[in-house]
Amino acid sequence: MTIVINMRDRVDNKKIKIAAKFIREGKLVAFPTETVYGLGADALNEKAVRRIFEAKGRPTDNPLIVHIARFKQLYELARNVPREAEILAEHFWPGPLTIVLPKKDNVPKITTGGLNTVAIRMPAHEIALNLVKASGRPIAAPSANISGKPSPTLAEHVVDDFYGKIECIIDGGEVKIGVESTVLDLTTKPPTLLRPGGLPLEEIERIIGKIKIHPAVKGKTVDIAKAPGMKYKHYAPNAQVIVIEGDREKVKEKIKTLLKEYKKRGIKVGIMATGDFYEADAYVNLGNSEEEVAKNLFRALRELDKSGVDVILAEGIEEKGLGLAVMNRLRKAAGYKIVRA
Ligand code: TXA
Ligand code: MG
């Protein structure tokens, strides 16, 4: 049975206590964060964490992010905490930054996908923070979607994927950011960006200087899987996604041309673009800023896919600010099918 707790209008700490009890009992609780919804369990309880993998259909070598609510928990999970980690935590926590550090022995291998490192973040969402505090446990939580589906930005998405399969879903309304956290590996020098996300690269570099970008962030070939998540197909809708990249005006022209060609061939087309409306079978306006596009991206993919179109044409945006995270997700969703305008 799944209990859905509605906290869209008001955070209710009495209800959070019910969810926290579930966590302590080794049960699964989906909850909102500022990035996307997470599917949480006690990070130190092997059995509970194993259930996350089963529920998602997630390969067990793809490690989870451990969520904390107090700075001292960082020292309870990481074997050593370099000064850089403390500086980043001071600047960006609570917030959409996940840091990878050597793990302590108390963190089970199932949580870290067999790795000797652990990914840690302090989310900037009252419900998430209060849930971690009330449970008294660090909470392991991947995005609350079935493996291979777009991450959930609304509780409805979690209900679609997990109703009846987990004990509790906390509905906190729409998330603020819409793409997952930025994952930064601090075990390398300089640190390595493993996944662009809700905290723009530019902001991190302003504090700690140049960082390396893992080649998988922009391309598809991964040799050494440092973030094993990179080797799996993500955000894959049933429709074929095609990303159109290049100069904005030319991209818009190209979308019109492709739309005409597909229509002639009787192929159903969905379009997600910034601003302009298109006479397609389905259309989602992504908004105009990188922030808006990030917030609307996963919902757009889910909606267009539900509409039953055969092809989704997606307008690419500039890779600055949240644009880097957006383009990383879009290209993955497209299986790297990219058209240059
Ligand atoms: O915003 C987020 O990060 C959301 C919310 C719920 O916090 N969570 C999330 O988790 O996106 P997930 O499991 O969907 O993505 C976790 C990413 C994966 O790419 C995984 O490979 C990487 O973090 N990761 C986790 N632990 C790691 C580790 N020890 N070393 C390298 N990468 C790691
Ligand atoms: Mg995920």
Side-chain angles (χ1 to χ4, degrees):
M1 206 190 60
T2 305
I3 296 177
V4 180
I5 302 178
N6 184 348
M7 277 193 237
R8 263 183 252 174
D9 301 321
R10 195 175 68 86
V11 175
D12 181 340
N13 283 314
K14 271 199 211 118
K15 289 182 181 164
I16 289 184
K17 273 194 185 148
I18 300 172
K21 186 159 175 279
F22 281 142
I23 294 287
R24 278 196 303 278
E25 291 168 355
K27 293 174 176 155
L28 303 189
V29 176
F31 60 95
T33 81
E34 77 279 32
T35 56
V36 300
Y37 276 76
L39 178 59
D42 178 351
L44 305 181
N45 179 337
E46 264 192 63
K47 259 199 188 154
V49 172
R50 206 170 285 282
R51 277 194 59 207
I52 293 181
F53 285 92
E54 286 164 7
K56 276 180 67 90
R58 180 179 177 112
T60 50
D61 65 351
N62 191 1
L64 308 179
I65 293 172
V66 179
H67 297 69
I68 60 172
R70 299 185 198 281
F71 287 94
K72 71 167 202 273
Q73 289 179 294
L74 175 58
Y75 304 87
E76 293 164 6
L77 299 166
R79 187 152 39 80
N80 64 58
V81 179
R83 185 69 196 121
E84 236 162 19
E86 293 176 329
I87 292 170
L88 288 168
E90 271 163 31
H91 269 91
F92 299 116
W93 279 359
L97 173 69
T98 295
I99 58 177
V100 174
L101 292 170
K103 79 170 191 73
K104 274 196 169 164
D105 290 340
N106 59 326
V107 183
K109 277 274 170 100
I110 180 81
T111 303
T112 64
L115 297 175
N116 290 318
T117 53
V118 57
I120 306 168
R121 102 171 178 99
M122 189 189 289
H125 193 294
E126 202 185 348
I127 294 177
L129 284 174
N130 290 0
L131 179 66
V132 175
K133 282 181 194 160
S135 70
R137 308 278 204 282
I139 296 184
S143 49
N145 53 279
I146 300 283
S147 232
K149 279 221 208 175
S151 294
T153 58
L154 291 165
E156 284 83 344
H157 300 158
V158 184
V159 168
D160 279 349
D161 285 8
F162 292 111
Y163 193 83
K165 294 185 196 151
I166 62 177
E167 282 77 16
C168 182
I169 298 171
I170 303 178
D171 182 351
E174 190 178 19
V175 299
K176 228 169 77 193
I177 297 177
V179 289
E180 306 90 335
S181 63
T182 301
V183 181
L184 189 67
D185 183 355
L186 291 180
T187 68
T188 64
K189 270 202 161 74
T192 309
L193 177 72
L194 298 179
R195 177 177 76 180
L199 181 67
L201 172 68
E202 295 91 328
E203 287 195 35
I204 300 173
E205 289 193 324
R206 209 175 302 137
I207 305 300
I208 58 164
K210 267 269 167 246
I211 59 183
K212 260 191 304 199
I213 298 184
H214 194 284
V217 168
K218 291 194 179 185
K220 75 166 157 183
T221 41
V222 184
D223 303 330
I224 318 149
K226 258 276 186 164
M230 297 188 297
K231 73 179 187 230
Y232 295 107
K233 197 173 173 198
H234 269 101
Y235 323 116
N238 295 311
Q240 170 66 59
V241 180
I242 301 171
V243 189
I244 296 92
E245 296 185 28
D247 173 75
R248 191 152 184 252
E249 286 315 307
K250 283 188 190 152
V251 167
K252 300 223 173 257
E253 278 310 308
K254 188 76 189 175
I255 292 178
K256 281 183 198 150
T257 315
L258 288 172
L259 176 60
K260 256 190 223 154
E261 283 173 18
Y262 281 122
K263 267 191 173 169
K264 242 189 258 164
R265 288 159 56 194
I267 293 168
K268 278 200 185 153
V269 182
I271 291 181
M272 43 201 275
T274 61
D276 295 336
F277 178 77
Y278 296 85
E279 286 285 339
D281 295 286
Y283 167 76
V284 177
N285 183 355
L286 290 174
N288 279 304
S289 60
E290 289 109 35
E291 287 77 18
E292 281 173 353
V293 176
K295 186 165 169 163
N296 293 324
L297 181 73
F298 288 136
R299 183 178 48 82
L301 283 169
R302 279 189 185 244
E303 278 178 19
L304 289 178
D305 215 25
K306 261 195 178 166
S307 75
V309 296
D310 306 304
V311 171
I312 296 171
L313 301 178
E315 179 185 331
I317 64 168
E318 243 189 288
E319 280 177 295
K320 63 173 189 356
L322 289 185
L324 184 65
V326 166
M327 290 312 291
N328 167 270
R329 310 305 191 272
L330 257 188
R331 289 176 184 144
K332 273 192 194 175
Y336 299 90
K337 201 164 160 71
I338 297 161
V339 171
R340 296 232 130 247

